[in-house]
Amino acid sequence: SSSSSSSSISTIASDMISRLSINTSVLQSNGLPFELADKMVENCIGTIPLPLGLGVHFVINGKEVTVPMAVEEPSVIAAASASAKLIGRHGGFISCSTEPVMIGQVQLLDVGDLYKAQATIQAESASIIEAANTYCGRMVERGGGCMSIEPRVLPGVEGQPDMLIVHLYIHVCEAMGANIVNTVVEGVAPMLAEMTGGRYCLRILSNLCTGRRSRASFVVPVSALSRHGVDGESIANRIMEAVWFAQRDVFRRATHNKGVMNGIDAVAVATGQDWRAIEAACHTYANTLGSGSLTQYELITDPTDGSRKLRGSLDIPISVGTQGGAIRAHPVYSEMLRILNDPSATELAQVMVCVGLAQNFSALRALVAEGIQRGHMALHARKQQVDVPKTST
């Protein structure tokens, strides 16, 4: 980077740039040439840069990880990093994932006997899977492809028609998966319609990828939670009270879960992921299949010494990719994945859930002690000091 750029970068950031050999020339030139941007979207008129920072102190499954985060809101990166530092002193995050299986849906209507058609599809599942895999041959070669199918009956209500919905479960390897899933369901829909005597309407993936989940958890001693003159036991008890509030009240729940997404979305934007799909999956999952609150906390007693500990966890459906789309074509996305040591899609998802959990934990710990504004507004004040250049009229 140039000397003028280097002088404006914090000491911590400068050290990280050197240690990780980050290509700052790509980042400080906005990273995306107009010619490439024009090929990515329609009616392109330019690009909008976002602040790009590094989440530090993360220890995930025993490995130190530096996390790129793109976000305009002050305190998000600082808060996540502070929590990661505390959690790292006590073993770090443990994270795991299911296989990257996405759901494709085919909607069938005007089916005479729904349950007979359902049984027919179940009986012909092998031939349907075989046909589906002809539309994703390269995915099959990499160990993915359509793994199973599930027909679901949706009886009509209030004058609406009966429907038969066929789910195709597709292993998408290192991809986010939307394009390949849509290709498969569009390909097999005529076969399903002929098989059931009905007609197809929608053929589309579901962003509620319940078969593609990642989980993160941590355990810290209650004694380590003290903050701004409030003892750890009080902090732990208040965190539990705050969590119960989120589980029982939809208005608090929205803000509680937004705190999780502050962290996840920042990593998603930095690495070229579909953050809209991730948001849709998480909020739908929380409010229909989960407890409402994305994160879970509990106070436990260590059987070895009787000490009290706080366990936090986050388990969500999350679809990310490290191959395909604009991920490798965009120079910044490629550099961000390199900072993360070129993770697999599963590893990237695990990083993201750890950051989301860290962000939520940090917010709760501040809220139940000194309040959210003390730290947030101190960092916000730095932003207010920036002289915004006036545009000519």
Side-chain angles (χ1 to χ4, degrees):
S1 61
S2 66
S3 58
S4 59
S5 297
S6 298
S7 64
S8 63
I9 295 176
S10 72
T11 301
I12 293 176
S14 181
D15 290 344
M16 298 301 292
I17 287 170
S18 176
R19 183 166 67 84
L20 298 170
S21 301
I22 296 173
N23 183 359
T24 55
S25 63
V26 170
L27 307 182
Q28 294 168 6
S29 62
N30 295 338
L32 184 63
F34 179 81
E35 293 75 14
L36 179 55
D38 191 43
K39 290 181 173 65
M40 294 174 68
V41 301
E42 304 74 38
N43 307 323
C44 184
I45 61 171
T47 60
I48 299 179
L50 278 173
L52 178 63
L54 296 173
V56 295
H57 307 306
F58 281 87
V59 177
I60 301 173
N61 293 335
K63 298 179 180 178
E64 292 187 10
V65 181
T66 301
V67 187
M69 302 174 68
V71 62
E72 86 296 340
E73 183 177 343
S75 79
V76 169
I77 297 174
S81 297
S83 279
K85 187 174 184 179
L86 171 61
I87 293 166
R89 293 195 194 108
H90 302 282
F93 296 90
I94 301 298
S95 188
C96 59
S97 301
T98 63
E99 293 293 312
V101 175
M102 298 294 290
I103 298 172
Q105 296 184 296
V106 178
Q107 177 193 26
L108 299 171
L109 300 102
D110 300 338
V111 176
D113 187 329
L114 284 172
Y115 293 98
K116 181 179 178 181
Q118 182 183 36
T120 298
I121 289 175
Q122 288 172 330
E124 296 294 329
S125 61
S127 62
I128 296 169
I129 291 170
E130 183 179 1
N133 282 332
T134 64
Y135 296 98
C136 57
R138 293 179 62 187
M139 192 73 72
V140 173
E141 291 173 3
R142 296 196 297 272
C146 185
M147 315 299 284
S148 62
I149 63 171
E150 179 190 12
R152 300 167 49 235
V153 172
L154 292 183
V157 293
E158 299 179 356
Q160 298 175 10
D162 296 334
M163 300 178 191
L164 183 62
I165 310 301
V166 182
H167 279 190
L168 287 83
Y169 295 92
I170 301 171
H171 190 299
V172 297
C173 300
E174 299 304 312
M176 281 185 264
N179 289 335
I180 194 64
V181 170
N182 290 339
T183 296
V184 171
V185 293
E186 288 184 3
V188 300
M191 176 184 185
L192 294 172
E194 182 178 359
M195 190 176 288
T196 59
R199 64 179 176 86
Y200 61 81
C201 186
L202 294 190
R203 302 145 293 161
I204 188 72
L205 92 158
S206 172
N207 289 122
L208 183 57
C209 49
T210 53
R212 188 179 192 178
R213 300 196 317 278
S214 289
R215 173 183 170 83
S217 64
F218 68 83
V219 176
V220 295
V222 166
S223 59
L225 298 178
S226 60
R227 181 183 177 99
H228 291 290
V230 183
D231 64 274
E233 189 70 29
S234 296
I235 294 285
N237 290 331
R238 293 176 190 178
I239 285 176
M240 294 309 305
E241 292 168 347
V243 171
W244 296 331
F245 182 15
Q247 290 174 345
R248 292 162 59 184
D249 182 80
V250 67
F251 296 96
R252 171 58 200 152
R253 187 182 308 155
T255 311
H256 177 95
N257 290 345
K258 188 262 185 182
V260 175
M261 304 315 295
N262 276 347
I264 290 175
D265 285 352
V267 184
V269 172
T271 57
Q273 307 304 315
D274 186 347
W275 55 268
R276 289 89 52 201
I278 295 170
E279 286 266 359
C282 287
H283 293 303
T284 304
Y285 182 74
N287 288 292
T288 57
L289 302 175
S291 67
S293 167
L294 285 171
T295 51
Q296 305 297 318
Y297 293 88
E298 60 178 330
L299 289 172
I300 60 175
T301 301
D302 190 325
T304 61
D305 60 12
S307 63
R308 294 246 292 170
K309 295 185 177 182
L310 178 73
R311 176 188 289 144
S313 64
L314 172 63
D315 186 337
I316 56 172
I318 180 168
S319 171
V320 300
T322 54
Q323 298 292 337
I327 292 171
R328 293 299 179 181
H330 194 308
V332 172
Y333 297 157
S334 294
E335 183 67 10
M336 296 305 98
L337 291 174
R338 191 191 65 76
I339 291 172
L340 286 164
N341 294 319
D342 289 312
S344 66
T346 295
E347 290 168 339
L348 177 58
Q350 292 172 359
V351 168
M352 292 169 71
V353 294
C354 290
V355 175
L357 179 57
Q359 180 63 35
N360 178 251
F361 172 56
S362 187
L364 287 175
R365 190 163 166 244
L367 278 166
V368 302
E370 75 276 14
I372 203 70
Q373 289 297 82
R374 178 171 172 174
H376 177 78
M377 292 309 294
L379 293 169
H380 182 70
R382 294 175 58 217
K383 184 171 74 172
Q384 298 299 99
Q385 294 169 3
V386 175
D387 292 326
V388 179
K390 296 181 179 179
T391 57
S392 58
T393 56

